Amino acid sequence: MIIEPSGRTSLMVMAIVDDHVTLDLMQRTLDGSGDSLSMATNLAEGLARTAAEVPDIVFVDVSLGRNAGLAVVHHLRALAPTVQVYAMARADRLELGTQAGSLGGAGLLMLPLSGDELLTVLADVRARRNERLLREKLERDAQESRRGVSLLGRVAELPEAPTPREAAELLVELRQHEV
């Protein structure tokens, strides 16, 4: 994931699909969006690319490799727990797509895919990613605030130190915790 100067989050997208019509649609839909698309036409290539550079979202045709695409959904989630894996299936293989959900898949898309469906999924993933990043930032800020309040509380103890030496020791202790 890349955060552009505009604040928009660009996604790294992986498509593991052997259907060139679907791959072409994905490429045309993402062209100019700022999102990057990596394509693999078989499961081994898709797993290797995902391991080399973990994408934000993976679309996998669950019927690939005599239905081994279904196992890839689970494997991808184990390989990269933060990746969103979307199963894709034709109507006659819909049961594979529903099984993918129980293996950690984030959702199911019916093939043939439309550009609107693809954009909707990407917008959803982008929104969830931005919410996670914001939550992490707020947690860091809250932790820093708690640390600051604790430090101020200790500084307030300085005037109550019985001797100048104890006040100096408290200052040294505070300085060590600050670094």
Side-chain angles (χ1 to χ4, degrees), residues 84 86 106 121 123-133:
Q84 298 291 308
Y86 280 81
V121 167
D124 182 51
V125 168
R126 187 175 289 109
R128 281 188 270 151
R129 184 62 45 112
N130 288 340
E131 288 169 1
R132 184 181 59 80
L133 291 172

Side-chain angles (χ1 to χ4, degrees), residues 16 20 25 86 130:
I16 306 173
H20 293 287
L25 171 77
Y86 280 81
N130 288 340

Side-chain angles (χ1 to χ4, degrees), residues 1 3 9 56 81-84 126-146:
M1 172 194 54
I3 300 179
T9 305
D56 297 300
T82 60
V83 72
Q84 298 291 308
R126 187 175 289 109
R128 281 188 270 151
R129 184 62 45 112
N130 288 340
E131 288 169 1
R132 184 181 59 80
L133 291 172
L134 179 59
R135 185 177 58 251
E136 289 171 357
K137 180 189 179 312
L138 291 173
E139 288 170 357
R140 284 190 308 271
D141 290 351
Q143 183 178 8
E144 187 65 26
S145 292
R146 286 189 297 273

Side-chain angles (χ1 to χ4, degrees), residues 27-155:
Q27 195 165 24
R28 284 184 289 118
T29 302
L30 294 177
D31 189 38
S33 70
D35 297 324
S36 63
L37 175 63
S38 181
M39 299 181 284
T41 57
N42 64 60
L43 299 173
E45 179 186 6
L47 287 172
R49 286 187 182 192
T50 300
E53 189 173 2
V54 178
D56 297 300
I57 184 169
V58 176
F59 295 98
V60 61
D61 182 346
V62 292
S63 65
L64 282 177
R66 295 186 183 151
N67 304 332
L70 182 61
V72 168
V73 172
H74 178 70
H75 186 71
L76 286 170
R77 295 287 296 145
L79 180 68
T82 60
V83 72
Q84 298 291 308
V85 182
Y86 280 81
M88 297 190 307
R90 298 202 179 281
D92 63 336
R93 307 303 288 164
L94 193 57
E95 74 283 354
L96 291 174
T98 56
Q99 290 174 21
S102 66
L103 293 173
L108 170 63
L109 297 172
M110 294 288 296
L111 292 172
L113 187 62
S114 78
D116 287 340
E117 290 172 309
L118 179 60
L119 291 173
T120 298
V121 167
L122 293 174
D124 182 51
V125 168
R126 187 175 289 109
R128 281 188 270 151
R129 184 62 45 112
N130 288 340
E131 288 169 1
R132 184 181 59 80
L133 291 172
L134 179 59
R135 185 177 58 251
E136 289 171 357
K137 180 189 179 312
L138 291 173
E139 288 170 357
R140 284 190 308 271
D141 290 351
Q143 183 178 8
E144 187 65 26
S145 292
R146 286 189 297 273
R147 187 173 159 259
V149 167
S150 174
L151 183 62
L152 284 174
R154 297 295 311 269
V155 168

Side-chain angles (χ1 to χ4, degrees), residues 147 151 169-179:
R147 187 173 159 259
L151 183 62
E169 288 172 354
L170 180 58
L171 281 174
V172 168
E173 181 184 328
L174 291 173
R175 178 68 178 150
Q176 288 173 346
H177 282 64
E178 183 181 318
V179 176

